[in-house]
Amino acid sequence: MMSSAQQTGWWQRLTAYFNNGQHTLMMAAYAVITVALVEYILFHRHLPAERFYPVIVLLSLLLALNAAWDSLQLRWGDVVANRLFFGLSSLIFLVVNYLGLDEGWTFLPFILFVIGSQAIIGLGIWPGLALSLLLYAGWNGVLWLRGVSSTQILTQAPSIALGLIFTLIFSIVLARLSEQMARTERLAAELRAANEALAASRERELALAAAEERVRLAHEIHDGLGHHLTALHVQLQVAARLLEHDPVRAAQALHLCREAAQAALTEVRQSVAIMRSNPLAEQPLPVVIERLVHDFSRVASFQIRFEQAGEIGEISPAMVMTLFRAAQEGLTNVQKHAQATCVTVRLIADTESVRLDVINDGPPAPAIGETGFGLAGLRERVSRLGGEIQAAPQPEGGFRLAIVLPRRSRNA
């Protein structure tokens, strides 16, 4: 037995096949031509052999032509294949009606309905209507050539005309439905592609954010904890050499080791306190910055003051992340490099932009160059959002880091 997945795949392929109007009408053509062939063989054997057998051969050829239509389109293209198909089908229709005309009822005229429907789907609505009218006129001409009286023609023609009109209307509706389904499938495919591209973009953003965070942590370890551990290692080596010959200096070295270990522990606690703040939590930016300041002040050796002016309002997650990282980077640099006693973190908002200042009152310091990884990464973030960044000493002393981000940035 077929598995559930196989049954689903088979059903989807069958549905996709019949969603094509040409395939649907092809199945109808098989049925109509087969019925016409069987009806002719069973009820018209009394016709002369030169008329009976050619009709059977031509109807069989028409069946084969329908079966080969798809292959002809793949090999020669739609235009050439359709011209060949409808040219031969029209010729066969007229010839079999000429040769197979009998005094009794025959199914042969109904082949006109199939060819007209296929023309609507294969050639388009207006060319299909034109071909159907020509074939209808040709069928009436065949009756006239075979000697059918005008009265009989006028009697039979309306019924065939009504059937043809109904068939053509149905075919036009089917053609419109096929076009709509094709358009829907195309839009669905475009939507799937857009969703996949969006998911891939999101994955790249997450990977980039993770990479940035890993590099930032590596930088923190190298510049902070690495420095203290290096000093600890050196002082331990000194203490080991002096322990027997100069116990006093060895004790001093061990005291320095204790200070280095305490500084390293403080560095770790500070990093952990900083990482506990999550700017991606759905909270207002002032709350996020204020919590960062509070966590940082618990381990910092200086006072930190947070000020806010203006309403932040609705801003993008990218802006929240960038302003948070700016505050984080500014406070970390003050802890590492400045001998400050007071730091002010100021958040200012207006209708056009949001600004963040981190200002310390330490002694004059040189401007930070592009070699500082944290500042370089921050500068990239700000640039992507169309903002500006300044990091420079103040004339009256101390240092200021300023970030200005427009509310309507090109990438926010």
Side-chain angles (χ1 to χ4, degrees), residues 44-243:
H44 301 278
R45 297 181 62 87
H46 58 276
L47 291 175
E50 63 272 14
R51 291 173 56 191
F52 180 75
Y53 291 107
V55 170
I56 295 175
V57 172
L58 289 173
L59 289 177
S60 301
L61 178 60
L62 188 58
L63 275 175
L65 186 61
N66 276 270
W69 190 8
D70 273 345
S71 300
L72 293 175
Q73 288 177 327
L74 291 176
R75 176 174 296 183
W76 293 334
D78 289 350
V79 175
V80 175
N82 288 342
R83 287 177 180 175
L84 177 63
F85 176 82
F86 288 108
L88 291 176
S89 296
S90 301
L91 180 61
I92 291 173
F93 166 74
L94 295 175
V95 172
V96 297
N97 274 275
Y98 181 83
L99 296 177
L101 183 66
D102 201 357
E103 293 180 356
W105 184 86
T106 176
F107 201 80
L108 296 177
F110 294 100
I111 297 176
L112 172 61
F113 301 162
V114 171
I115 298 176
S117 299
Q118 290 176 321
I120 294 292
I121 299 296
L123 300 177
I125 294 177
W126 293 112
L129 289 175
L131 179 62
S132 300
L133 291 176
L134 286 175
L135 288 178
Y136 177 72
W139 174 75
N140 283 278
V142 165
L143 296 182
W144 179 77
L145 290 175
R146 293 294 295 173
V148 179
S149 67
S150 300
T151 303
Q152 289 179 315
I153 293 177
L154 292 175
T155 302
Q156 297 181 29
S159 60
I160 298 297
L162 288 175
L164 181 61
I165 291 171
F166 174 80
T167 304
L168 293 178
I169 292 174
F170 174 79
S171 301
I172 291 172
V173 173
L174 182 61
R176 296 298 190 193
L177 180 61
S178 298
E179 292 175 0
Q180 186 64 34
M181 294 182 69
R183 188 180 301 110
T184 301
E185 290 177 358
R186 184 173 63 254
L187 292 176
E190 293 176 357
L191 181 60
R192 285 193 298 270
N195 287 336
E196 291 173 0
L198 184 61
S201 176
R202 177 61 177 166
E203 290 294 330
R204 287 194 298 269
E205 289 180 2
L206 292 175
L208 179 61
E212 289 179 349
E213 187 65 13
R214 283 196 298 270
V215 176
R216 189 189 71 81
L217 290 175
H219 178 73
E220 294 288 337
I221 292 172
H222 177 270
D223 288 353
L225 187 59
H227 169 75
H228 297 306
L229 292 178
T230 299
L232 179 61
H233 176 70
V234 171
Q235 292 300 325
L236 285 174
Q237 287 181 327
V238 172
R241 288 198 302 267
L242 297 177
L243 186 59

Side-chain angles (χ1 to χ4, degrees), residues 299-333:
V299 294
S301 59
F302 46 82
Q303 293 182 347
I304 309 176
R305 183 172 63 250
F306 175 65
E307 299 176 356
Q308 179 189 351
E311 288 294 329
I312 301 299
E314 193 85 19
I315 61 175
S316 69
M319 290 180 65
V320 172
M321 173 65 81
T322 300
L323 292 168
F324 172 82
R325 292 303 185 201
Q328 186 182 71
E329 183 68 20
L331 292 173
T332 301
N333 285 337

Side-chain angles (χ1 to χ4, degrees), residues 24-50:
T24 303
L25 292 179
M26 192 182 300
M27 299 302 295
Y30 291 152
V32 172
I33 297 171
T34 301
V35 170
L37 181 60
V38 172
E39 186 271 339
Y40 188 79
I41 293 173
L42 292 178
F43 300 106
H44 301 278
R45 297 181 62 87
H46 58 276
L47 291 175
E50 63 272 14

Side-chain angles (χ1 to χ4, degrees), residues 213 215-225 228 263 266-277 289 292-293 295-297 299-304 323-340 343-345 356-360 368 372-375 378 399 401:
E213 187 65 13
V215 176
R216 189 189 71 81
L217 290 175
H219 178 73
E220 294 288 337
I221 292 172
H222 177 270
D223 288 353
L225 187 59
H228 297 306
T266 302
E267 188 84 24
V268 170
R269 288 174 176 171
Q270 177 177 310
S271 297
V272 171
I274 291 172
M275 289 193 309
R276 279 209 309 269
S277 296
I289 299 294
L292 172 67
V293 169
D295 290 343
F296 209 101
S297 63
V299 294
S301 59
F302 46 82
Q303 293 182 347
I304 309 176
L323 292 168
F324 172 82
R325 292 303 185 201
Q328 186 182 71
E329 183 68 20
L331 292 173
T332 301
N333 285 337
V334 173
Q335 175 71 16
K336 287 182 178 180
H337 307 297
Q339 300 174 3
V343 176
T344 300
V345 178
L356 177 76
D357 291 334
V358 181
I359 306 170
N360 70 77
I368 299 177
F373 172 78
L375 184 60
L378 186 60
F399 196 89
L401 172 65

